[in-house]
Amino acid sequence: MKRALILETSGPLGGLALVQYQMPLGAAENNTFREWRRENSHSEVVTQYVRKALEESGWKIEDFDCFAVGVGPGSFTGIRVALNVIRTLAYSTDKPVYCFSSLKALALSTSHQDLPIVTLTNAYKNMVYGARYRWTKSQELVEEVSPTAWTLDKLGGLVEESSLCVGDGLAAYKDMIPKEIIDRLVRDEHQPDDPRIAIFAPRLISDLRPEDLQPWKTAKALYIRASEAEEKLRSGLLKPLPKI
């Protein structure tokens, strides 16, 4: 059995899982996992959660065959926390990295069903990060629309039919999204609005293919939008420092 460490901190709910799996495609299961909620930086707690998970499992960093990280879209700071930890661990052990979309992790946290799954998370400034997925009959999650930043009036291109909607984006802008789109979005209180690592981690790793792995130095964040500081700089609200 192979071993993977998965880390996701792109939103308020952070998650860490140690997973056993087989290659090629085979069943995967959690050895241990941790979840925590932070309104501020995950950097204050992530190291201690990694250490506690390793102590509980009895595994060592050098025992892992790969590392996996949620690269967004989401909080700019949160994405960097997980990515920096995973890049450091992969560099120190010379092991590959699997970068996955945080919206895919959210979709993987849902139950298998016939409805397409629309993931909407709050991108702020009247925008959402959205993607669309669908479970196949063989229980494989297929991406139909890749993660994109959507303005509320353009969501019809993502929500073309009745769809299960997960994520905090709908609640944030429900009163501003056109009614014809709202009417196509199905909510289920039993489906999580955060990526739940206990659910998605083994599913994610079960679908892992050798070609999905990459060297640590090429693992990068999925930044769909510019940061707030970059947007202010472009708009002239911030001025670059003069050269000394």
Side-chain angles (χ1 to χ4, degrees):
M1 294 289 285
K2 294 182 178 293
R3 297 174 176 179
L5 187 155
I6 300 99
L7 191 59
E8 159 63 23
T9 61
S10 66
L13 185 69
L16 163 72
L18 308 185
V19 176
Q20 299 179 113
Y21 68 102
Q22 293 177 329
M23 289 285 281
L25 296 180
E29 60 182 16
N30 290 328
N31 176 285
T32 187
F33 68 90
R34 293 283 189 280
E35 285 185 336
W36 60 92
R37 190 169 291 277
R38 297 290 291 179
E39 297 303 327
N40 297 318
S41 177
H42 291 285
S43 62
E44 299 171 5
V45 297
V46 66
T47 302
Q48 69 186 51
Y49 280 117
V50 171
R51 184 178 67 251
K52 288 180 180 179
L54 292 173
E55 291 174 352
E56 181 177 315
S57 67
W59 294 359
K60 299 178 181 179
I61 290 297
E62 55 268 25
D63 294 334
F64 290 97
D65 297 277
C66 73
F67 299 93
V69 59
V71 293
S75 161
F76 283 79
T77 302
I79 293 169
R80 286 196 294 269
V81 169
L83 188 58
N84 287 342
V85 170
I86 291 300
R87 281 168 57 95
T88 299
L89 295 177
Y91 167 76
S92 65
T93 57
D94 194 26
K95 298 294 174 63
V97 175
Y98 177 27
C99 294
F100 60 89
S101 161
S102 303
L103 296 185
K104 180 179 181 179
L106 180 55
L108 281 169
S109 301
T110 65
S111 59
H112 301 124
Q113 58 195 279
D114 295 330
L115 287 177
I117 301 164
V118 169
T119 56
L120 296 179
T121 60
N122 191 356
Y124 299 96
K125 297 186 178 180
N126 296 338
M127 297 187 72
V128 293
Y129 295 123
R132 188 172 73 231
Y133 303 87
R134 191 183 298 268
W135 288 107
T136 67
K137 292 182 179 179
S138 60
Q139 298 188 352
E140 176 187 2
L141 188 72
V142 176
E143 182 181 271
E144 294 186 339
V145 178
S146 59
T148 306
W150 299 80
T151 57
L152 303 181
D153 61 324
K154 300 295 185 181
L155 276 177
L158 177 65
V159 189
E160 298 175 341
E161 59 183 300
S162 181
S163 307
L164 174 68
C165 178
V166 292
D168 64 357
L170 179 59
Y173 298 112
K174 188 173 182 178
D175 296 335
M176 301 172 63
I177 296 174
K179 185 178 183 303
E180 62 270 21
I181 297 175
I182 292 288
D183 290 343
R184 298 179 204 148
L185 295 174
V186 178
R187 293 285 289 166
D188 183 344
E189 63 181 9
H190 299 295
Q191 302 297 328
D193 281 332
D194 296 294
R196 302 309 299 266
I197 202 160
I199 302 173
F200 81 74
R203 292 176 174 177
L204 180 80
I205 298 300
S206 291
D207 292 338
L208 180 63
R209 301 166 299 177
E211 57 266 32
D212 294 327
L213 299 170
Q214 61 187 96
W216 68 269
K217 63 178 65 176
T218 62
K220 297 181 179 179
L222 180 59
Y223 288 145
I224 295 176
R225 294 180 61 191
S227 69
E228 184 174 357
E230 290 171 325
E231 290 180 349
K232 287 182 178 180
L233 184 62
R234 291 174 184 174
S235 65
L237 295 177
L238 290 179
K239 302 294 183 181
L241 292 173
K243 293 183 179 180
I244 298 176

